[in-house]
Amino acid sequence: MRQRLCVLGSTGSVGSNTLDVAARHPDRFEVVALTGQQRVDELFAQCLRWRPRFAAMGVASAAAELRARVRQAGLLTEVLEGADALVQLASHPDVDTVMGAIVGAAGLPPCMAAARAGKRLLLANKEALVVGGAQFMAAVEEGGATLLPIDSEHSAIFQCLPEDRSQWKQRVDHIVLTASGGPFRQREPSTLTSVTPEEACAHPNWVMGRKISVDSATMMNKALEVIEARWLFDLTPEQIQVVIHPQSIIHSMVVCRDQSVLAQLGTPDMRVPIAYGLSFPERIESGAEALDFLSLGALTFEPPRRERFPGLFLAWDALRGPHGSTAVLNAANEEAVAAFLDRQIGFDAIHRINAQTLESLIPSLDLHAPVEALLELDRQSRERARTFVKALRR
């Protein structure tokens, strides 16, 4: 039987790549639901191509426009709206597989719903684990969901581990997440005050959305991935290391207890981890180019320097802090990056806002706090971060 897909965030980079892979295997996948925030043109084009039973938009006015265009085109797609619609579709009984590709904390409720409903959950929304790691993993276990990481680094780690999760602890000494270093890997830190949004979004290896591209430039994306890895693979903070690997060919590594190293290699193309998640434990054609070892050249590694990437090191600070600290860090970063992209603050101010918010807001949540408490902490953290943004506005 074909897998029945719900793609949360289908108009983004990961969502569109998911549909690209699915299109190569029409015998394996049926698209049941697609969702976006407010990009009506893109979601309407996807509805024309895939004829899903459901489509949803986060913004009511965008949903109304999509609904009218769907009706005019004679499609039978039912258009829903709002955050509740995402939760409804992620847990719908006619959906087998959910691609969680929404950017930010907004992806937590629908991904949590998919986990509780026992879906095959392809997780590209790292914030779901950064904001609600303990609660999210508990929902996966209670719901009997199959959780498959889609970030290239976490997919690489997952591919290097045995399918039997009970063997992970006895085999793994530590893991090494690789990072490209982004567009400013060799730039003098003193010059980063003048960085523009256009420069920060010009990633040398990957094609990504604007927010994630900025996170890559600050290496906050790697900070969030450190936190995500802690929960995905049940590791201590000390068992997670980061190295800069500019070529983005080795996507991450597992160092075993005998000190042998297992690495996953491939071209920098998100369709590879997506195809692996969609077909696990099998492997299917992804559309990515083959890796040509004879043309690779040298593979190099270097340590991340604190003076250039201070945001990275906030990951370990947050993991060692009170429960909920990682949610505070994520919310602050989303607000700071949005302000930078809106040209309200400088590039270097992103880290200052993140550090100030993390230091000034001490959460008091326990490991079993409900999602509503996590979202309230997220709201408070954003409010606190916005006060720091206001103080730093140009």
Side-chain angles (χ1 to χ4, degrees), residues 179-180 185 205 244-250 266 268 296-301:
S180 70
R185 180 177 65 87
N205 297 341
I244 293 179
H245 169 52
Q247 297 80 21
S248 296
I249 297 299
I250 296 177
L296 277 184
L299 300 181
T300 62
F301 305 90

Side-chain angles (χ1 to χ4, degrees), residues 209-286:
R210 282 164 61 81
K211 193 269 182 183
I212 299 175
S213 295
V214 174
D215 282 348
S216 180
T218 62
M219 275 188 70
M220 267 304 299
N221 72 320
K222 208 56 52 177
L224 299 179
E225 287 169 13
V226 167
I227 297 167
E228 183 182 6
R230 178 265 176 270
W231 293 108
L232 276 173
F233 306 115
D234 193 18
L235 301 168
T236 66
E238 293 73 24
Q239 287 181 288
I240 307 168
Q241 298 178 6
V242 172
V243 299
I244 293 179
H245 169 52
Q247 297 80 21
S248 296
I249 297 299
I250 296 177
H251 297 303
S252 278
M253 296 169 274
V254 172
V255 181
C256 302
R257 291 192 181 276
D258 61 3
Q259 297 308 302
S260 60
V261 180
L262 306 177
Q264 189 265 339
L265 287 71
T267 52
D269 189 323
M270 279 305 299
R271 290 176 296 179
V272 175
I274 289 169
Y276 183 72
L278 285 171
S279 62
F280 177 82
E282 302 175 44
R283 290 185 183 264
I284 59 175
E285 193 267 330
S286 67

Side-chain angles (χ1 to χ4, degrees), residues 2-3 5 21-22 25-31 278-279 284:
R2 293 193 297 172
Q3 286 186 53
L5 297 179
V21 174
H25 305 276
D27 58 320
R28 298 183 68 118
F29 304 108
E30 173 191 355
V31 177
L278 285 171
S279 62
I284 59 175

Side-chain angles (χ1 to χ4, degrees), residues 39-51:
R39 295 163 64 180
V40 177
D41 290 343
E42 289 89 338
L43 192 54
F44 177 62
Q46 291 176 348
C47 288
L48 285 175
R49 164 67 178 83
W50 291 98
R51 310 291 173 115

Side-chain angles (χ1 to χ4, degrees), residues 60-282:
S61 58
E65 182 181 346
L66 179 65
R67 193 175 292 117
R69 293 174 68 173
V70 161
R71 187 182 305 116
Q72 186 177 19
L75 301 179
L76 300 179
T77 301
E78 180 181 352
V79 179
L80 309 175
E81 64 186 63
D84 290 344
L86 303 183
V87 170
Q88 176 185 341
L89 294 179
S91 56
H92 197 283
D94 291 339
V95 166
D96 307 309
T97 300
V98 176
M99 168 56 81
I102 296 173
V103 175
L108 174 60
C111 288
M112 186 82 82
R116 286 177 173 152
K119 304 299 185 185
R120 181 189 185 97
L121 176 56
L122 281 56
L123 190 66
N125 173 261
K126 59 176 64 69
E127 292 84 358
L129 283 166
V130 173
V131 175
Q135 295 90 329
F136 189 87
M137 295 307 294
V140 169
E141 184 173 354
E142 291 164 9
T146 300
L147 181 61
L148 298 163
I150 298 302
D151 276 347
S152 62
E153 297 82 0
H154 302 94
S155 176
I157 297 296
F158 186 78
Q159 291 181 55
C160 291
L161 293 171
E163 288 185 24
D164 184 355
R165 291 174 183 253
S166 67
Q167 297 180 27
W168 288 5
K169 277 191 174 298
Q170 66 189 47
R171 291 201 183 190
V172 177
D173 183 80
H174 65 277
I175 67 171
V176 181
L177 302 178
T178 57
S180 70
F184 308 132
R185 180 177 65 87
Q186 296 180 308
R187 184 159 167 167
E188 280 300 316
S190 61
T191 69
L192 294 178
T193 57
S194 62
V195 165
T196 67
E198 290 74 23
E199 290 175 310
C201 291
H203 196 282
N205 297 341
W206 297 92
V207 177
M208 304 179 292
R210 282 164 61 81
K211 193 269 182 183
I212 299 175
S213 295
V214 174
D215 282 348
S216 180
T218 62
M219 275 188 70
M220 267 304 299
N221 72 320
K222 208 56 52 177
L224 299 179
E225 287 169 13
V226 167
I227 297 167
E228 183 182 6
R230 178 265 176 270
W231 293 108
L232 276 173
F233 306 115
D234 193 18
L235 301 168
T236 66
E238 293 73 24
Q239 287 181 288
I240 307 168
Q241 298 178 6
V242 172
V243 299
I244 293 179
H245 169 52
Q247 297 80 21
S248 296
I249 297 299
I250 296 177
H251 297 303
S252 278
M253 296 169 274
V254 172
V255 181
C256 302
R257 291 192 181 276
D258 61 3
Q259 297 308 302
S260 60
V261 180
L262 306 177
Q264 189 265 339
L265 287 71
T267 52
D269 189 323
M270 279 305 299
R271 290 176 296 179
V272 175
I274 289 169
Y276 183 72
L278 285 171
S279 62
F280 177 82
E282 302 175 44

